[in-house]
Structures are given as C-alpha cells and as structure tokens.
Amino acid sequence: YQRRVRGTTAAHMQSSPPATLMASLNQGTPPTGDSGGVLFGTLPFDKSLVSQFVDVAGSTFLVVQPSQRCYGLVLDYVASNLTGLGNSFEAEHNPAAAKPRSDWRSDEEKLPEVPNGVKATIGLGMHKFAWAGRELHCLRQTAGDPVGSQCGADQKEFVVLFAPREGSQDVLTEFCSRLVALSEITEKNQFTIFHWNIQGNFWGRTATVNARPVSSVILPAEIKHQIMSDVDDFLSADTEAYYTLHGIPYKRSYLLYGLPGSGKTSLIQALAGHYCRNVCYLQPTHPLMTDDSLRNAAADLPANSIVVFEDIDAYFDKHRNAKVQKSPLTFSGLLNVLDGIGNPQGQIFMLTTNYREQLDSALVRSGRVDVQVRFEHAVPEQMVAMFQAFRSGSTPEDAERFVGGLMEQLGERKISMATLQHYFVQNRKRTDAEVTANLGDVVREMDEKQREMRELAEQTVLEAKL
C-alpha cells in the first residue's frame, strides 16, 4: 500500500517530539483527522500530528504490515540507525546473533549485529533514521481495540515509512528489498534458519548460527562423497544451463533415510554452512497448512536455501491419507511442491525419515527424489573417527584398541552413532584407557533400553486387548 499525500501545509520538522504528540502517537486509539473521523481507508496516520515531523505534502509514504517479511527487519534497522528523533523502544528476545556479510554493502546498510539475550527495537511513535545517505522517517503505531486471537489479545499494528519528495517510492521499496536480501545472505560456515509463519504467510528469520564443519559429521567416506559430489555437480553453471535448456525445474531433492541418531540432521546443517545456504523448516502437518499455504511457502523461499521436510513419513500413509487428523494438506499438494513447478530456481530439498518403507512410491519416484541415501548403524570406520574426534591427543593404536574392545563387547549387537557419542560425552573426564576399559557400560545401557522398549510394547498390546 503506497501513495503520495498532497494538498496540506506541512509544519517545520521539530528536533524532538513534544510530550503530547508522543503520548498521542503511542496510544492504541485509531488516528483521526481534522474532522475527527477515522482516516483508515484514506490516510493510515493522523496528518495533523505527522506534519509536525514530516513535510507530508511533499513526501511519499509506504505502509509495511507485520505479515511482510521485512517488517521485523525494518524495526531492527531503524533502532540501530536513529539520527536524533525517537526515544521509544521495546525489549525483544534475541535467540541468536545475526552476523551479516562484510562485503555486501556499506557499513550503514548492514543489519545490526546483536548478541544473544535481549535487544532493543523501536517502540511506538515517530523515528528518524539514516539509510544510504538519506534521512527517512518511520512511524510505528497501533490502531483499533485489542481483539482475541489464538495467541491471546491482539491489536492491529503497522509501520509507515516516509521519504522526502514525491515519487520517492523507489527509495522506500529499495530500502525494504535490501533488508530482505541482506537477511538471506549467509557467510561461509554459517547458516540462517527460517521458519514459515503460517498465520502471516511469510518466512521469518529465526537465527544465524555457526555451522559445524562437514569433516565433523562422522559418516562413511563413501556416503559423504556421494552427497557432496552430487551437490557440487548440481550447483555448477553447466548443470543449471542444462536444466534450463530442457525445461526441467532447476531443483534437487534428497531423501536421507534410516536409523535415528545416525547423522541426518547434522549433515544437513553442515552442508548448509559449507554451501552458504539458508535452512528453511516447514510444518506441513500444521492445522492451518493448506495446499495453497505450502505452495506460497515454496514460491517465496529465501534465496539459496535448503528446504527441510523432517520425518516425512509422519505426513501421509501408503494410502495417501493424512496421518494427522486436523491437517488440511493433501498428498497431491505435497507432490506439487516437491516437483518444483513455480518454485525459485536452484533450491535444494532434504527429506528425512526413519521409515522409508512407509512412504508412498509416488513420493520417492525418480525426478521427484533425485538421490536416496541410507544411514545405518556405526561401522568400524566411524568408530575410529569418533574416538579420534572426542579423544584429542590419542594415538591410532588407542583408537584401534577402543574399536576392538567395542566390537568384542557388542557381539551381534549394532550401535548407533548417537549412542556412541553419548558414551563419549558421559566419559569425557576419563582417560583413554578408562574409556576403553568401561565399554561394558554402553552395552549394558543398550540392553536395558531394549528391555524397557519390549515391556512397553507388551503393555501396549495388553491394554489394547482390554
């Protein structure tokens, strides 16, 4: 929503807002004009009040709604780039620091880097800030009475951006576009996490975190080479040109299946950091996730993303019926998104499951899922690598003794990588010799868990009969 305002006499800009004006702007009542009527539908602000700060007649304004991806980015940027006007702030939890790239734009265009904890974003009222050598204004306000929602009382809120001179809409739209583009850029060995906001219909940035090196994900060398060589080939310019030439949607889908705790999620995150990709999580079984919502999410994906469908076996059974009763998403709606038609080019889909046998064949057919990788129990190669990773300073001989002792204790049993990692963490203060000598502990713990699972299964069957 954007328009120019004409036909008013603007007051001179004041260096600081009078208390009465700040109180009026901070109130939750709808702005009113000279006639006393509510001005929504004509102007989304009170012209007589705003004119004390902005030459309304000679300005262009742009309304930004909370449902738009740039909304939170605008609030954060303005709070960090104020130029004198604005003394109203709100405290907001910051789950993780967002570290923007240093080589993208000038320093003043970077998003603020905030440590974990609490950050201050702009509160209600008028704020003057700088961007790209220009002075702009941002009005944050509420309107109407609070109404009930699924998250409690809610009140309409929005932001109005002002730029001097008529016809300055390009300045305002470029400002918002730059913030969105910057939020999607990830540095090497980092990845930014996005979650789809179903109510708002936009991708929200959750955090930017340091990625673990691919080398730290302990998998058989053959599996790691298979995946990385395939991703390298897919991201090459020759491959993109080939897909374009033949009219094939330029996307790649991987199915990672097998044992829980075998490294599927860890590999996805490491690949995101290695290839400078955002990680986008969807909740297809959410009661508000319709076919249209999923299609909108796929069409509006942040640039250079890995889209993760975790535990895809939990969505539909082999008869294509939804496993979650309140889920409105259809099987065909999911297939259409995976086919990549209408999606941004160059996206990577990662599907994970512990139960591949429960998936409908149409879901994993060639062309829809391009590469399938099985994750199994730990093999001696992984055992050696994990020992060396967790026991710094150990020798190859120490690792061989550990693996030999573990294989002897296991006998016919199989061990997962998650169980093995848990053992190393639990014994982190012991010596290498003690870690090898106490391998019976991990086997006894495995047997105890198996016994508990059998008893639980038997109790479930008994209760079903009753």
Side-chain angles (χ1 to χ4, degrees):
Y1 175 57
Q2 178 180 321
R3 59 172 295 173
R4 293 192 293 273
V5 184
R6 303 175 182 269
T8 60
T9 302
H12 292 292
M13 180 68 64
Q14 299 183 18
S15 59
S16 62
T20 54
L21 176 57
M22 286 303 299
S24 178
L25 288 176
N26 290 340
Q27 288 176 355
T29 55
T32 59
D34 298 334
S35 63
V38 176
L39 287 179
F40 290 134
T42 56
L43 294 179
F45 53 84
D46 189 317
K47 183 173 63 177
S48 63
L49 295 178
V50 171
S51 294
Q52 299 183 49
F53 305 98
V54 178
D55 180 6
V56 178
S59 298
T60 301
F61 68 84
L62 177 73
V63 175
V64 183
Q65 302 286 354
S67 60
Q68 294 174 293
R69 193 190 304 179
C70 63
Y71 188 79
L73 302 175
V74 168
L75 300 184
D76 291 344
Y77 183 90
V78 173
S80 298
N81 293 273
L82 293 171
T83 59
L85 176 63
N87 57 6
S88 172
F89 297 90
E90 287 186 4
E92 183 175 301
H93 175 62
N94 183 57
K99 185 177 180 182
R101 288 180 56 167
S102 59
D103 59 346
W104 186 66
R105 295 289 291 179
S106 63
D107 286 342
E108 69 172 7
E109 291 192 65
K110 296 176 187 175
L111 288 174
E113 184 173 342
V114 183
N116 293 349
V118 175
K119 64 179 179 181
T121 189
I122 61 170
L124 300 178
M126 182 69 79
H127 307 266
K128 183 167 69 173
F129 67 100
W131 177 74
R134 300 179 176 88
E135 283 197 342
L136 307 176
H137 286 79
C138 175
L139 171 64
R140 185 182 184 186
Q141 63 182 357
T142 59
D145 296 324
V147 297
S149 69
Q150 293 179 342
C151 301
D154 195 11
Q155 190 172 19
K156 181 176 178 60
E157 175 186 312
F158 57 93
V159 158
V160 185
L161 298 173
F162 297 87
R165 297 188 304 277
E166 296 183 10
S168 299
Q169 61 265 30
D170 290 344
V171 173
L172 298 176
T173 55
E174 182 186 5
F175 168 65
C176 295
S177 297
R178 293 285 189 185
L179 294 186
V180 172
L182 179 58
S183 74
E184 295 178 356
I185 294 176
T186 302
E187 287 187 340
K188 187 76 171 179
N189 299 323
Q190 289 185 329
F191 63 93
T192 301
I193 300 173
F194 289 85
H195 283 85
W196 179 246
N197 187 308
I198 298 178
Q199 287 88 350
N201 216 36
F202 68 95
W203 285 101
R205 186 180 65 168
T206 304
T208 298
V209 298
N210 293 324
R212 61 187 298 177
V214 175
S215 59
S216 71
V217 182
I218 301 173
L219 293 171
E222 180 181 355
I223 289 179
K224 195 178 297 185
H225 174 74
Q226 175 191 2
I227 295 177
M228 296 193 67
S229 61
D230 190 87
V231 175
D232 287 337
D233 179 69
F234 170 70
L235 296 178
S236 67
D238 290 345
T239 299
E240 182 177 5
Y242 181 88
Y243 276 60
T244 302
L245 176 64
H246 293 279
I248 304 172
Y250 182 49
K251 59 90 183 175
R252 198 73 171 167
S253 298
Y254 299 83
L255 176 66
L256 311 183
Y257 69 97
L259 189 72
S262 54
K264 296 186 287 292
T265 301
S266 297
L267 178 61
I268 292 173
Q269 296 177 351
L271 291 175
H274 182 80
Y275 292 104
C276 298
R277 291 253 154 179
N278 299 302
V279 177
C280 298
Y281 288 98
L282 286 161
Q283 296 176 289
T285 56
H286 191 283
L288 298 180
M289 180 65 82
T290 63
D291 290 359
D292 288 340
S293 181
L294 185 61
R295 183 170 58 250
N296 291 339
D300 196 35
L301 281 167
N304 300 320
S305 295
I306 293 177
V307 187
V308 182
F309 288 88
E310 289 187 305
D311 299 323
I312 198 168
D313 56 277
Y315 304 168
F316 299 95
D317 61 25
K318 298 196 72 170
H319 302 290
R320 307 184 180 183
N321 299 314
K323 288 187 175 181
V324 178
Q325 186 177 5
K326 295 183 179 181
S327 174
L329 182 69
T330 68
F331 187 74
S332 61
L334 176 62
L335 297 186
N336 290 335
V337 167
L338 294 177
D339 286 339
I341 300 175
N343 297 350
Q345 297 293 289
Q347 304 291 18
I348 295 175
F349 291 87
M350 290 283 184
L351 288 60
T352 71
T353 178
N354 300 330
Y355 308 101
R356 183 187 178 280
E357 67 279 2
Q358 296 183 14
L359 301 181
D360 188 285
S361 59
L363 186 63
V364 295
R365 69 161 174 78
S366 298
R368 188 163 285 143
V369 170
D370 303 289
V371 179
Q372 300 187 32
V373 182
R374 183 174 181 177
F375 288 67
E376 301 186 271
H377 290 93
V379 297
E381 173 190 349
Q382 292 172 280
M383 297 175 186
V384 170
M386 183 165 281
F387 182 89
Q388 293 173 335
F390 279 93
R391 309 300 301 181
S392 59
S394 63
T395 66
E397 291 75 18
D398 293 331
E400 291 298 332
R401 280 194 293 271
F402 172 82
V403 173
L406 179 59
M407 297 295 289
E408 180 180 350
Q409 289 286 343
L410 289 173
E412 297 298 322
R413 304 175 187 87
K414 302 291 184 181
I415 189 170
S416 71
M417 291 297 289
T419 300
L420 193 55
Q421 176 175 296
H422 176 72
Y423 178 73
F424 281 118
V425 173
Q426 292 294 98
N427 292 273
R428 63 189 181 278
K429 295 183 179 180
R430 292 182 173 179
T431 65
D432 293 346
E434 290 173 330
V435 168
T436 300
N438 293 315
L439 282 170
D441 293 347
V442 68
V443 175
R444 283 189 290 272
E445 185 176 342
M446 290 171 57
D447 289 343
E448 179 65 19
K449 288 184 177 180
Q450 287 292 329
R451 183 186 64 79
E452 291 176 355
M453 292 177 62
R454 285 195 301 269
E455 291 179 352
L456 180 61
E458 291 171 358
Q459 182 179 355
T460 302
V461 172
L462 180 61
E463 291 176 351
K465 290 181 178 179
L466 294 177

